PDB file of all heavy atoms in Angstrom:
ATOM      1  N   GLY B   1     -92.140-136.746 130.240  1.00  0.00           N
ATOM      2  CA  GLY B   1     -91.374-136.397 129.133  1.00  0.00           C
ATOM      3  C   GLY B   1     -92.122-135.565 128.172  1.00  0.00           C
ATOM      4  O   GLY B   1     -93.264-135.853 127.778  1.00  0.00           O
ATOM      5  N   VAL B   2     -91.623-134.416 127.707  1.00  0.00           N
ATOM      6  CA  VAL B   2     -92.221-133.539 126.726  1.00  0.00           C
ATOM      7  C   VAL B   2     -91.342-133.413 125.522  1.00  0.00           C
ATOM      8  O   VAL B   2     -90.190-132.898 125.606  1.00  0.00           O
ATOM      9  CB  VAL B   2     -92.597-132.153 127.380  1.00  0.00           C
ATOM     10  CG1 VAL B   2     -93.350-131.303 126.377  1.00  0.00           C
ATOM     11  CG2 VAL B   2     -93.395-132.312 128.658  1.00  0.00           C
ATOM     12  N   VAL B   3     -91.857-133.865 124.377  1.00  0.00           N
ATOM     13  CA  VAL B   3     -91.036-133.832 123.128  1.00  0.00           C
ATOM     14  C   VAL B   3     -91.910-133.176 122.017  1.00  0.00           C
ATOM     15  O   VAL B   3     -93.114-133.062 122.159  1.00  0.00           O
ATOM     16  CB  VAL B   3     -90.557-135.198 122.712  1.00  0.00           C
ATOM     17  CG1 VAL B   3     -89.594-135.750 123.849  1.00  0.00           C
ATOM     18  CG2 VAL B   3     -91.657-136.116 122.491  1.00  0.00           C
ATOM     19  N   GLY B   4     -91.267-132.971 120.946  1.00  0.00           N
ATOM     20  CA  GLY B   4     -91.946-132.401 119.810  1.00  0.00           C
ATOM     21  C   GLY B   4     -90.938-131.576 118.939  1.00  0.00           C
ATOM     22  O   GLY B   4     -89.878-131.233 119.369  1.00  0.00           O
ATOM     23  N   PRO B   5     -91.402-131.202 117.753  1.00  0.00           N
ATOM     24  CA  PRO B   5     -90.557-130.364 116.864  1.00  0.00           C
ATOM     25  C   PRO B   5     -90.296-128.983 117.458  1.00  0.00           C
ATOM     26  O   PRO B   5     -91.056-128.593 118.332  1.00  0.00           O
ATOM     27  CB  PRO B   5     -91.251-130.433 115.542  1.00  0.00           C
ATOM     28  CG  PRO B   5     -92.670-130.673 115.901  1.00  0.00           C
ATOM     29  CD  PRO B   5     -92.660-131.570 117.135  1.00  0.00           C
ATOM     30  N   THR B   6     -89.399-128.253 116.853  1.00  0.00           N
ATOM     31  CA  THR B   6     -89.136-126.867 117.246  1.00  0.00           C
ATOM     32  C   THR B   6     -90.387-126.048 117.049  1.00  0.00           C
ATOM     33  O   THR B   6     -91.034-126.116 115.986  1.00  0.00           O
ATOM     34  CB  THR B   6     -88.001-126.302 116.466  1.00  0.00           C
ATOM     35  OG1 THR B   6     -86.817-127.065 116.684  1.00  0.00           O
ATOM     36  CG2 THR B   6     -87.727-124.842 116.855  1.00  0.00           C
ATOM     37  N   GLY B   7     -90.659-125.211 118.095  1.00  0.00           N
ATOM     38  CA  GLY B   7     -91.870-124.330 117.883  1.00  0.00           C
ATOM     39  C   GLY B   7     -93.163-125.012 118.247  1.00  0.00           C
ATOM     40  O   GLY B   7     -94.273-124.421 117.975  1.00  0.00           O
ATOM     41  N   ALA B   8     -93.116-126.204 118.783  1.00  0.00           N
ATOM     42  CA  ALA B   8     -94.415-126.949 119.086  1.00  0.00           C
ATOM     43  C   ALA B   8     -95.119-126.446 120.291  1.00  0.00           C
ATOM     44  O   ALA B   8     -96.278-126.755 120.481  1.00  0.00           O
ATOM     45  CB  ALA B   8     -94.033-128.413 119.250  1.00  0.00           C
ATOM     46  N   GLY B   9     -94.413-125.673 121.196  1.00  0.00           N
ATOM     47  CA  GLY B   9     -94.971-125.196 122.411  1.00  0.00           C
ATOM     48  C   GLY B   9     -94.475-125.793 123.718  1.00  0.00           C
ATOM     49  O   GLY B   9     -95.050-125.629 124.773  1.00  0.00           O
ATOM     50  N   LYS B  10     -93.409-126.484 123.580  1.00  0.00           N
ATOM     51  CA  LYS B  10     -92.803-127.187 124.799  1.00  0.00           C
ATOM     52  C   LYS B  10     -92.334-126.190 125.881  1.00  0.00           C
ATOM     53  O   LYS B  10     -92.698-126.230 127.034  1.00  0.00           O
ATOM     54  CB  LYS B  10     -91.638-128.016 124.377  1.00  0.00           C
ATOM     55  CG  LYS B  10     -91.940-129.129 123.375  1.00  0.00           C
ATOM     56  CD  LYS B  10     -90.749-130.042 123.045  1.00  0.00           C
ATOM     57  CE  LYS B  10     -89.553-129.259 122.448  1.00  0.00           C
ATOM     58  NZ  LYS B  10     -89.904-128.710 121.124  1.00  0.00           N
ATOM     59  N   SER B  11     -91.567-125.163 125.501  1.00  0.00           N
ATOM     60  CA  SER B  11     -91.097-124.193 126.408  1.00  0.00           C
ATOM     61  C   SER B  11     -92.219-123.321 126.879  1.00  0.00           C
ATOM     62  O   SER B  11     -92.246-122.720 128.023  1.00  0.00           O
ATOM     63  CB  SER B  11     -89.964-123.328 125.801  1.00  0.00           C
ATOM     64  OG  SER B  11     -88.817-124.172 125.578  1.00  0.00           O
ATOM     65  N   THR B  12     -93.194-123.037 125.970  1.00  0.00           N
ATOM     66  CA  THR B  12     -94.417-122.255 126.445  1.00  0.00           C
ATOM     67  C   THR B  12     -95.059-122.899 127.567  1.00  0.00           C
ATOM     68  O   THR B  12     -95.607-122.247 128.520  1.00  0.00           O
ATOM     69  CB  THR B  12     -95.315-122.096 125.147  1.00  0.00           C
ATOM     70  OG1 THR B  12     -94.582-121.417 124.125  1.00  0.00           O
ATOM     71  CG2 THR B  12     -96.567-121.303 125.606  1.00  0.00           C
ATOM     72  N   LEU B  13     -95.259-124.234 127.467  1.00  0.00           N
ATOM     73  CA  LEU B  13     -95.870-125.045 128.565  1.00  0.00           C
ATOM     74  C   LEU B  13     -95.135-124.788 129.873  1.00  0.00           C
ATOM     75  O   LEU B  13     -95.765-124.559 130.958  1.00  0.00           O
ATOM     76  CB  LEU B  13     -95.988-126.436 128.200  1.00  0.00           C
ATOM     77  CG  LEU B  13     -96.618-127.448 129.251  1.00  0.00           C
ATOM     78  CD1 LEU B  13     -98.042-127.078 129.496  1.00  0.00           C
ATOM     79  CD2 LEU B  13     -96.458-128.821 128.826  1.00  0.00           C
ATOM     80  N   ILE B  14     -93.840-124.813 129.853  1.00  0.00           N
ATOM     81  CA  ILE B  14     -93.021-124.647 131.024  1.00  0.00           C
ATOM     82  C   ILE B  14     -93.151-123.175 131.586  1.00  0.00           C
ATOM     83  O   ILE B  14     -93.293-123.005 132.755  1.00  0.00           O
ATOM     84  CB  ILE B  14     -91.580-124.985 130.749  1.00  0.00           C
ATOM     85  CG1 ILE B  14     -91.411-126.411 130.302  1.00  0.00           C
ATOM     86  CG2 ILE B  14     -90.706-124.665 131.958  1.00  0.00           C
ATOM     87  CD1 ILE B  14     -91.931-127.436 131.296  1.00  0.00           C
ATOM     88  N   ARG B  15     -93.187-122.204 130.621  1.00  0.00           N
ATOM     89  CA  ARG B  15     -93.415-120.827 131.047  1.00  0.00           C
ATOM     90  C   ARG B  15     -94.701-120.575 131.777  1.00  0.00           C
ATOM     91  O   ARG B  15     -94.773-119.798 132.764  1.00  0.00           O
ATOM     92  CB  ARG B  15     -93.233-119.863 129.831  1.00  0.00           C
ATOM     93  CG  ARG B  15     -91.859-119.876 129.255  1.00  0.00           C
ATOM     94  CD  ARG B  15     -91.737-118.748 128.206  1.00  0.00           C
ATOM     95  NE  ARG B  15     -90.431-118.748 127.544  1.00  0.00           N
ATOM     96  CZ  ARG B  15     -90.152-119.185 126.297  1.00  0.00           C
ATOM     97  NH1 ARG B  15     -91.290-119.531 125.523  1.00  0.00           N
ATOM     98  NH2 ARG B  15     -89.031-119.130 125.789  1.00  0.00           N
ATOM     99  N   LEU B  16     -95.756-121.272 131.308  1.00  0.00           N
ATOM    100  CA  LEU B  16     -97.005-121.103 132.011  1.00  0.00           C
ATOM    101  C   LEU B  16     -97.022-121.828 133.360  1.00  0.00           C
ATOM    102  O   LEU B  16     -97.574-121.279 134.277  1.00  0.00           O
ATOM    103  CB  LEU B  16     -98.047-121.753 131.101  1.00  0.00           C
ATOM    104  CG  LEU B  16     -98.408-121.023 129.850  1.00  0.00           C
ATOM    105  CD1 LEU B  16     -99.452-121.824 129.028  1.00  0.00           C
ATOM    106  CD2 LEU B  16     -98.913-119.626 130.068  1.00  0.00           C
ATOM    107  N   LEU B  17     -96.242-122.912 133.473  1.00  0.00           N
ATOM    108  CA  LEU B  17     -96.164-123.559 134.765  1.00  0.00           C
ATOM    109  C   LEU B  17     -95.352-122.727 135.744  1.00  0.00           C
ATOM    110  O   LEU B  17     -95.648-122.667 136.956  1.00  0.00           O
ATOM    111  CB  LEU B  17     -95.477-124.885 134.541  1.00  0.00           C
ATOM    112  CG  LEU B  17     -95.256-125.735 135.805  1.00  0.00           C
ATOM    113  CD1 LEU B  17     -96.536-126.014 136.556  1.00  0.00           C
ATOM    114  CD2 LEU B  17     -94.593-127.073 135.428  1.00  0.00           C
ATOM    115  N   LEU B  18     -94.390-121.999 135.280  1.00  0.00           N
ATOM    116  CA  LEU B  18     -93.576-121.064 136.068  1.00  0.00           C
ATOM    117  C   LEU B  18     -94.291-119.715 136.349  1.00  0.00           C
ATOM    118  O   LEU B  18     -93.776-118.916 136.999  1.00  0.00           O
ATOM    119  CB  LEU B  18     -92.229-120.815 135.445  1.00  0.00           C
ATOM    120  CG  LEU B  18     -91.284-122.075 135.259  1.00  0.00           C
ATOM    121  CD1 LEU B  18     -90.130-121.661 134.321  1.00  0.00           C
ATOM    122  CD2 LEU B  18     -90.690-122.395 136.663  1.00  0.00           C
ATOM    123  N   ARG B  19     -95.418-119.563 135.677  1.00  0.00           N
ATOM    124  CA  ARG B  19     -96.167-118.321 135.764  1.00  0.00           C
ATOM    125  C   ARG B  19     -95.431-117.139 135.192  1.00  0.00           C
ATOM    126  O   ARG B  19     -95.500-116.027 135.744  1.00  0.00           O
ATOM    127  CB  ARG B  19     -96.605-118.015 137.211  1.00  0.00           C
ATOM    128  CG  ARG B  19     -97.891-118.859 137.685  1.00  0.00           C
ATOM    129  CD  ARG B  19     -98.613-118.209 138.793  1.00  0.00           C
ATOM    130  NE  ARG B  19     -99.284-116.943 138.354  1.00  0.00           N
ATOM    131  CZ  ARG B  19     -99.642-115.992 139.253  1.00  0.00           C
ATOM    132  NH1 ARG B  19     -99.516-116.106 140.533  1.00  0.00           N
ATOM    133  NH2 ARG B  19    -100.314-114.912 138.745  1.00  0.00           N
ATOM    134  N   HIS B  20     -94.649-117.372 134.184  1.00  0.00           N
ATOM    135  CA  HIS B  20     -94.052-116.263 133.425  1.00  0.00           C
ATOM    136  C   HIS B  20     -95.185-115.536 132.639  1.00  0.00           C
ATOM    137  O   HIS B  20     -95.087-114.323 132.356  1.00  0.00           O
ATOM    138  CB  HIS B  20     -92.951-116.703 132.480  1.00  0.00           C
ATOM    139  CG  HIS B  20     -91.706-117.219 133.229  1.00  0.00           C
ATOM    140  ND1 HIS B  20     -90.626-117.757 132.543  1.00  0.00           N
ATOM    141  CD2 HIS B  20     -91.401-117.121 134.534  1.00  0.00           C
ATOM    142  CE1 HIS B  20     -89.730-118.031 133.415  1.00  0.00           C
ATOM    143  NE2 HIS B  20     -90.110-117.612 134.575  1.00  0.00           N
ATOM    144  N   TYR B  21     -96.149-116.303 132.279  1.00  0.00           N
ATOM    145  CA  TYR B  21     -97.354-115.755 131.589  1.00  0.00           C
ATOM    146  C   TYR B  21     -98.624-116.385 132.219  1.00  0.00           C
ATOM    147  O   TYR B  21     -98.502-117.436 132.948  1.00  0.00           O
ATOM    148  CB  TYR B  21     -97.350-116.115 130.112  1.00  0.00           C
ATOM    149  CG  TYR B  21     -96.190-115.493 129.272  1.00  0.00           C
ATOM    150  CD1 TYR B  21     -94.977-116.170 129.154  1.00  0.00           C
ATOM    151  CD2 TYR B  21     -96.328-114.222 128.728  1.00  0.00           C
ATOM    152  CE1 TYR B  21     -93.937-115.536 128.433  1.00  0.00           C
ATOM    153  CE2 TYR B  21     -95.291-113.698 128.048  1.00  0.00           C
ATOM    154  CZ  TYR B  21     -94.129-114.346 127.907  1.00  0.00           C
ATOM    155  OH  TYR B  21     -93.042-113.814 127.219  1.00  0.00           O
ATOM    156  N   GLU B  22     -99.730-115.699 132.035  1.00  0.00           N
ATOM    157  CA  GLU B  22    -101.022-116.255 132.501  1.00  0.00           C
ATOM    158  C   GLU B  22    -101.724-116.946 131.273  1.00  0.00           C
ATOM    159  O   GLU B  22    -101.661-116.394 130.207  1.00  0.00           O
ATOM    160  CB  GLU B  22    -101.897-115.136 133.044  1.00  0.00           C
ATOM    161  CG  GLU B  22    -101.345-114.442 134.293  1.00  0.00           C
ATOM    162  CD  GLU B  22    -101.230-115.301 135.490  1.00  0.00           C
ATOM    163  OE1 GLU B  22    -101.719-116.481 135.395  1.00  0.00           O
ATOM    164  OE2 GLU B  22    -100.723-114.902 136.495  1.00  0.00           O
ATOM    165  N   PRO B  23    -102.327-118.099 131.525  1.00  0.00           N
ATOM    166  CA  PRO B  23    -102.931-118.719 130.384  1.00  0.00           C
ATOM    167  C   PRO B  23    -104.181-117.972 129.915  1.00  0.00           C
ATOM    168  O   PRO B  23    -104.838-117.238 130.708  1.00  0.00           O
ATOM    169  CB  PRO B  23    -103.370-120.116 131.022  1.00  0.00           C
ATOM    170  CG  PRO B  23    -103.412-119.871 132.465  1.00  0.00           C
ATOM    171  CD  PRO B  23    -102.338-118.854 132.733  1.00  0.00           C
ATOM    172  N   GLY B  24    -104.482-118.160 128.659  1.00  0.00           N
ATOM    173  CA  GLY B  24    -105.669-117.557 128.088  1.00  0.00           C
ATOM    174  C   GLY B  24    -106.978-118.178 128.583  1.00  0.00           C
ATOM    175  O   GLY B  24    -107.956-117.511 128.877  1.00  0.00           O
ATOM    176  N   SER B  25    -106.915-119.504 128.714  1.00  0.00           N
ATOM    177  CA  SER B  25    -108.066-120.220 129.284  1.00  0.00           C
ATOM    178  C   SER B  25    -107.492-121.537 129.875  1.00  0.00           C
ATOM    179  O   SER B  25    -106.388-121.975 129.586  1.00  0.00           O
ATOM    180  CB  SER B  25    -109.105-120.555 128.207  1.00  0.00           C
ATOM    181  OG  SER B  25    -108.530-121.384 127.161  1.00  0.00           O
ATOM    182  N   GLY B  26    -108.307-122.153 130.696  1.00  0.00           N
ATOM    183  CA  GLY B  26    -107.874-123.383 131.326  1.00  0.00           C
ATOM    184  C   GLY B  26    -107.185-123.101 132.651  1.00  0.00           C
ATOM    185  O   GLY B  26    -107.169-121.972 133.116  1.00  0.00           O
ATOM    186  N   GLN B  27    -106.679-124.148 133.242  1.00  0.00           N
ATOM    187  CA  GLN B  27    -106.104-124.041 134.541  1.00  0.00           C
ATOM    188  C   GLN B  27    -104.939-124.988 134.808  1.00  0.00           C
ATOM    189  O   GLN B  27    -104.948-126.120 134.300  1.00  0.00           O
ATOM    190  CB  GLN B  27    -107.195-124.292 135.597  1.00  0.00           C
ATOM    191  CG  GLN B  27    -106.855-123.929 137.028  1.00  0.00           C
ATOM    192  CD  GLN B  27    -108.072-124.043 137.980  1.00  0.00           C
ATOM    193  OE1 GLN B  27    -108.584-125.198 138.166  1.00  0.00           O
ATOM    194  NE2 GLN B  27    -108.572-123.034 138.548  1.00  0.00           N
ATOM    195  N   LEU B  28    -103.981-124.547 135.556  1.00  0.00           N
ATOM    196  CA  LEU B  28    -102.888-125.425 136.045  1.00  0.00           C
ATOM    197  C   LEU B  28    -103.033-125.540 137.584  1.00  0.00           C
ATOM    198  O   LEU B  28    -103.223-124.467 138.281  1.00  0.00           O
ATOM    199  CB  LEU B  28    -101.481-124.809 135.706  1.00  0.00           C
ATOM    200  CG  LEU B  28    -101.162-124.737 134.213  1.00  0.00           C
ATOM    201  CD1 LEU B  28    -101.429-123.305 133.639  1.00  0.00           C
ATOM    202  CD2 LEU B  28     -99.655-124.985 134.001  1.00  0.00           C
ATOM    203  N   ARG B  29    -102.919-126.709 138.135  1.00  0.00           N
ATOM    204  CA  ARG B  29    -103.029-126.905 139.515  1.00  0.00           C
ATOM    205  C   ARG B  29    -101.805-127.703 140.073  1.00  0.00           C
ATOM    206  O   ARG B  29    -101.385-128.673 139.441  1.00  0.00           O
ATOM    207  CB  ARG B  29    -104.315-127.617 139.872  1.00  0.00           C
ATOM    208  CG  ARG B  29    -105.561-126.797 139.637  1.00  0.00           C
ATOM    209  CD  ARG B  29    -106.785-127.485 140.344  1.00  0.00           C
ATOM    210  NE  ARG B  29    -107.042-128.800 139.749  1.00  0.00           N
ATOM    211  CZ  ARG B  29    -107.791-128.979 138.655  1.00  0.00           C
ATOM    212  NH1 ARG B  29    -108.331-127.873 138.035  1.00  0.00           N
ATOM    213  NH2 ARG B  29    -107.990-130.227 138.211  1.00  0.00           N
ATOM    214  N   LEU B  30    -101.220-127.277 141.167  1.00  0.00           N
ATOM    215  CA  LEU B  30    -100.100-127.929 141.831  1.00  0.00           C
ATOM    216  C   LEU B  30    -100.527-128.329 143.217  1.00  0.00           C
ATOM    217  O   LEU B  30    -100.913-127.431 143.944  1.00  0.00           O
ATOM    218  CB  LEU B  30     -98.897-127.005 141.810  1.00  0.00           C
ATOM    219  CG  LEU B  30     -97.585-127.703 142.293  1.00  0.00           C
ATOM    220  CD1 LEU B  30     -97.179-128.826 141.307  1.00  0.00           C
ATOM    221  CD2 LEU B  30     -96.525-126.638 142.418  1.00  0.00           C
ATOM    222  N   GLY B  31    -100.476-129.593 143.510  1.00  0.00           N
ATOM    223  CA  GLY B  31    -100.915-130.029 144.806  1.00  0.00           C
ATOM    224  C   GLY B  31    -102.421-129.777 145.099  1.00  0.00           C
ATOM    225  O   GLY B  31    -102.824-129.563 146.191  1.00  0.00           O
ATOM    226  N   GLY B  32    -103.169-129.739 144.010  1.00  0.00           N
ATOM    227  CA  GLY B  32    -104.652-129.489 144.061  1.00  0.00           C
ATOM    228  C   GLY B  32    -104.984-128.023 144.130  1.00  0.00           C
ATOM    229  O   GLY B  32    -106.189-127.739 144.143  1.00  0.00           O
ATOM    230  N   GLN B  33    -104.058-127.118 144.106  1.00  0.00           N
ATOM    231  CA  GLN B  33    -104.293-125.648 144.197  1.00  0.00           C
ATOM    232  C   GLN B  33    -104.063-125.009 142.839  1.00  0.00           C
ATOM    233  O   GLN B  33    -103.034-125.330 142.246  1.00  0.00           O
ATOM    234  CB  GLN B  33    -103.437-125.031 145.246  1.00  0.00           C
ATOM    235  CG  GLN B  33    -103.578-125.652 146.631  1.00  0.00           C
ATOM    236  CD  GLN B  33    -104.992-125.454 147.194  1.00  0.00           C
ATOM    237  OE1 GLN B  33    -105.702-124.571 146.830  1.00  0.00           O
ATOM    238  NE2 GLN B  33    -105.393-126.391 148.106  1.00  0.00           N
ATOM    239  N   ALA B  34    -104.923-124.165 142.378  1.00  0.00           N
ATOM    240  CA  ALA B  34    -104.652-123.371 141.145  1.00  0.00           C
ATOM    241  C   ALA B  34    -103.423-122.488 141.363  1.00  0.00           C
ATOM    242  O   ALA B  34    -103.263-121.925 142.482  1.00  0.00           O
ATOM    243  CB  ALA B  34    -105.835-122.543 140.796  1.00  0.00           C
ATOM    244  N   LEU B  35    -102.559-122.406 140.365  1.00  0.00           N
ATOM    245  CA  LEU B  35    -101.329-121.600 140.564  1.00  0.00           C
ATOM    246  C   LEU B  35    -101.561-120.216 141.008  1.00  0.00           C
ATOM    247  O   LEU B  35    -100.807-119.746 141.887  1.00  0.00           O
ATOM    248  CB  LEU B  35    -100.559-121.651 139.239  1.00  0.00           C
ATOM    249  CG  LEU B  35    -100.101-122.997 138.742  1.00  0.00           C
ATOM    250  CD1 LEU B  35     -99.026-122.875 137.607  1.00  0.00           C
ATOM    251  CD2 LEU B  35     -99.422-123.809 139.854  1.00  0.00           C
ATOM    252  N   PRO B  36    -102.544-119.460 140.499  1.00  0.00           N
ATOM    253  CA  PRO B  36    -102.785-118.041 141.010  1.00  0.00           C
ATOM    254  C   PRO B  36    -103.103-117.978 142.445  1.00  0.00           C
ATOM    255  O   PRO B  36    -102.976-116.981 143.103  1.00  0.00           O
ATOM    256  CB  PRO B  36    -103.876-117.505 140.168  1.00  0.00           C
ATOM    257  CG  PRO B  36    -103.909-118.342 138.885  1.00  0.00           C
ATOM    258  CD  PRO B  36    -103.462-119.671 139.401  1.00  0.00           C
ATOM    259  N   GLU B  37    -103.566-119.173 143.107  1.00  0.00           N
ATOM    260  CA  GLU B  37    -103.906-119.121 144.490  1.00  0.00           C
ATOM    261  C   GLU B  37    -102.660-119.250 145.322  1.00  0.00           C
ATOM    262  O   GLU B  37    -102.705-118.964 146.564  1.00  0.00           O
ATOM    263  CB  GLU B  37    -104.922-120.239 144.759  1.00  0.00           C
ATOM    264  CG  GLU B  37    -106.254-120.078 144.123  1.00  0.00           C
ATOM    265  CD  GLU B  37    -107.192-121.316 144.363  1.00  0.00           C
ATOM    266  OE1 GLU B  37    -106.685-122.254 145.024  1.00  0.00           O
ATOM    267  OE2 GLU B  37    -108.328-121.308 143.884  1.00  0.00           O
ATOM    268  N   LEU B  38    -101.575-119.705 144.775  1.00  0.00           N
ATOM    269  CA  LEU B  38    -100.322-119.793 145.488  1.00  0.00           C
ATOM    270  C   LEU B  38     -99.571-118.443 145.406  1.00  0.00           C
ATOM    271  O   LEU B  38     -99.598-117.824 144.353  1.00  0.00           O
ATOM    272  CB  LEU B  38     -99.431-120.912 144.919  1.00  0.00           C
ATOM    273  CG  LEU B  38    -100.035-122.322 144.914  1.00  0.00           C
ATOM    274  CD1 LEU B  38     -99.131-123.244 144.165  1.00  0.00           C
ATOM    275  CD2 LEU B  38    -100.254-122.865 146.302  1.00  0.00           C
ATOM    276  N   SER B  39     -98.918-118.033 146.458  1.00  0.00           N
ATOM    277  CA  SER B  39     -98.027-116.911 146.350  1.00  0.00           C
ATOM    278  C   SER B  39     -96.882-117.291 145.371  1.00  0.00           C
ATOM    279  O   SER B  39     -96.469-118.444 145.250  1.00  0.00           O
ATOM    280  CB  SER B  39     -97.481-116.502 147.683  1.00  0.00           C
ATOM    281  OG  SER B  39     -96.563-117.447 148.255  1.00  0.00           O
ATOM    282  N   LEU B  40     -96.328-116.265 144.734  1.00  0.00           N
ATOM    283  CA  LEU B  40     -95.205-116.507 143.752  1.00  0.00           C
ATOM    284  C   LEU B  40     -94.008-117.156 144.541  1.00  0.00           C
ATOM    285  O   LEU B  40     -93.345-118.012 144.000  1.00  0.00           O
ATOM    286  CB  LEU B  40     -94.807-115.226 143.103  1.00  0.00           C
ATOM    287  CG  LEU B  40     -95.724-114.708 142.053  1.00  0.00           C
ATOM    288  CD1 LEU B  40     -95.231-113.372 141.480  1.00  0.00           C
ATOM    289  CD2 LEU B  40     -95.883-115.713 140.849  1.00  0.00           C
TER     290      LEU B  40
END
């Protein structure tokens, strides 16, 4: 569950997971693989 006030970054977190944007730093991994290593 992801909660917080308006403008807290909840939808931004989802957009990064969907790869609508690339993160400035850090990494997201799905199934042990970094998202950029997966084809879209």
Side-chain angles (χ1 to χ4, degrees):
V2 182
V3 298
T6 302
K10 303 184 295 297
S11 292
T12 300
L13 179 62
I14 300 304
R15 292 189 184 109
L16 293 176
L17 178 57
L18 295 167
R19 282 202 68 198
H20 289 176
Y21 297 91
E22 298 292 355
S25 62
Q27 194 175 61
L28 296 95
R29 293 192 296 275
L30 187 64
Q33 304 296 334
L35 295 192
E37 295 177 358
L38 303 172
S39 68
L40 284 176

